[in-house]
Amino acid sequence: DRPVNNEVSKRYIEKGLEETGAINIVSGMILDYRAFDTLGESHVLFVATVTVLIMLRLDKKHDNGTDLSIEEAEANDRNYEPKNDAILQMSAYVLVPAIILFGIYVILNGHLGPGGGFSGGAIIGAGLILYLNAFGFQKTERFFTAKTYKWISFGSLSFYCIAKSYSFYTGANHIESMIPKGTPGAILSSGLILPLNIAVGLVVACTMYAFYAMFRKGGF
């Protein structure tokens, strides 16, 4: 019967749609009422990736000397890449586009039903990992490199922090935020929740791929 056990959840259920514009109460909670908690969780993923990068990355020397252990590690990795696995590659051709499209759908639908940035990002990350296993690092690095990961993560986390800080400041000070909530049930609704879901999804997808690349090869 304590207030902590009933008033908060009651507010989410009864006022969530009105105050957030999101039909999905869970998305309204984690990306509006408790959005800074979600920002912290996204930063935890980023910091974890940076830590793995520091511990596992294999850097080549910039001088004329050679590091045989690095060369051997890269050679062994190339030998184990299934570049000529016809069954895996044909499956990847069919499945990877469908997986990534489904992940995008889950992210964009997060404020309307089950889904959101974390689950959709995990699906996209799985698609990238499948592509990497089928075609190897050389082909994957044509569109996804360490620089790609850094810019996407930096841009997504910066947007999340700036957008939600502005929203919380204006809301706390009773200033109009100028962010329309739209019509509940429409794809362009729920104010900042949709773009925040996209930002979280990008961070999660890139982090999953980065973890795999680091543990697999020590780099991208």
Side-chain angles (χ1 to χ4, degrees):
D1 295 328
R2 291 182 300 171
V4 70
N5 291 329
N6 51 43
E7 291 186 4
V8 175
S9 58
K10 183 178 179 181
R11 176 62 174 262
Y12 291 162
I13 294 171
E14 295 182 353
K15 296 289 186 178
L17 180 60
E18 175 187 346
E19 294 179 343
T20 69
I23 293 178
N24 185 349
I25 297 176
V26 177
S27 292
M29 180 183 68
I30 66 175
L31 289 174
D32 192 285
Y33 293 115
R34 302 184 61 182
F36 272 125
D37 291 347
T38 305
L39 176 63
E41 294 167 4
S42 300
H43 275 85
V44 166
L45 291 175
F46 179 74
V47 172
T49 309
V50 172
T51 304
V52 172
L53 173 66
I54 294 172
M55 296 178 65
L56 299 181
R57 183 172 180 176
L58 298 175
D59 286 319
K60 292 183 178 180
K61 292 183 176 179
H62 296 289
D63 55 18
N64 294 328
T66 58
D67 192 331
L68 295 179
S69 63
I70 293 178
E71 291 180 354
E72 292 172 356
E74 291 185 345
N76 289 336
D77 184 81
R78 285 194 295 270
N79 290 335
Y80 285 106
E81 282 189 4
K83 296 180 180 178
N84 299 316
D85 191 326
I87 296 177
L88 180 59
Q89 290 181 350
M90 183 57 66
S91 300
Y93 269 124
V94 176
L95 293 176
V96 169
I99 291 172
I100 293 178
L101 283 175
F102 181 64
I104 294 173
Y105 164 77
V106 171
I107 292 174
L108 298 181
N109 194 61
H111 59 297
L112 304 177
F118 284 102
S119 51
I123 295 170
I124 295 175
L128 293 174
I129 292 172
L130 175 59
Y131 185 91
L132 174 61
N133 277 284
F135 301 105
F137 280 93
Q138 186 173 359
K139 287 189 175 181
T140 308
E141 287 174 357
R142 291 183 302 183
F143 62 89
F144 198 105
T145 63
K147 184 178 291 186
T148 306
Y149 164 74
K150 293 173 183 176
W151 278 108
I152 291 177
S153 297
F154 173 76
S156 299
L157 292 174
S158 298
F159 167 77
Y160 192 118
C161 183
I162 294 172
K164 207 58 205 176
S165 295
Y166 166 79
S167 175
F168 272 148
Y169 174 80
T170 55
N173 290 277
H174 303 287
I175 303 173
E176 178 59 43
S177 66
M178 305 299 293
I179 301 172
K181 294 184 175 64
T183 303
I187 186 67
L188 296 178
S189 62
S190 72
L192 279 174
I193 292 180
L194 176 58
L196 293 181
N197 257 329
I198 295 173
V200 172
L202 289 173
V203 172
V204 172
C206 292
T207 300
M208 280 190 60
Y209 176 84
F211 274 145
Y212 183 84
M214 291 295 169
F215 280 101
R216 174 77 190 285
K217 189 181 178 181
F220 289 86

